[in-house]
């Protein structure tokens, strides 16, 4: 995948995908009875980290300067 494509895809993921993911997680959690504060905190922390693992290859190297051909 080219650097420009990675940069555009990562921007799309952060501006569109992440807010949609957050809304889905909040709605999913709110559909159940409210759990204990510590359990709810752990759920939000885990779901806040889990989304990035499948997308690690897209975000890797995006913040660096573009390589010269």
């Amino acid at each position: 995948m080219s650097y420009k494509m990675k940069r555009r895809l990562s921007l799309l993921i952060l501006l569109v995908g992440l807010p949609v993911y957050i809304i889905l997680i909040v709605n999913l959690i709110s559909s159940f009875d409210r759990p204990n504060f510590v359990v709810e905190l752990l759920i939000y922390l885990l779901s806040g980290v889990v989304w990035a693992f499948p997308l690690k290859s897209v975000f890797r190297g995006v913040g660096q300067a573009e390589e010269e051909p």
Side-chain angles (χ1 to χ4, degrees):
M1 187 180 304
S2 72
Y3 177 77
K4 283 187 178 184
M5 182 60 122
K6 273 186 161 183
R7 201 170 63 186
R8 289 179 183 150
L9 185 58
S10 63
L11 188 61
L12 180 70
I13 290 169
L14 290 175
L15 292 179
V16 177
L18 192 56
V20 169
Y21 177 76
I22 291 169
I23 291 169
L24 288 174
I25 292 295
V26 169
N27 284 332
L28 181 70
I29 298 298
S30 67
S31 67
F32 299 109
D33 290 334
R34 186 160 185 159
N36 184 357
F37 175 75
V38 175
V39 174
E40 188 175 6
L41 181 65
L42 285 174
I43 291 170
Y44 282 123
L45 286 174
L46 285 174
S47 62
V49 172
V50 167
W51 70 271
F53 285 116
L55 302 170
K56 190 179 354 178
S57 64
V58 175
F59 292 118
R60 182 168 285 144
V62 172
Q64 299 174 357
E66 187 174 1
E67 296 175 6
E68 295 292 325

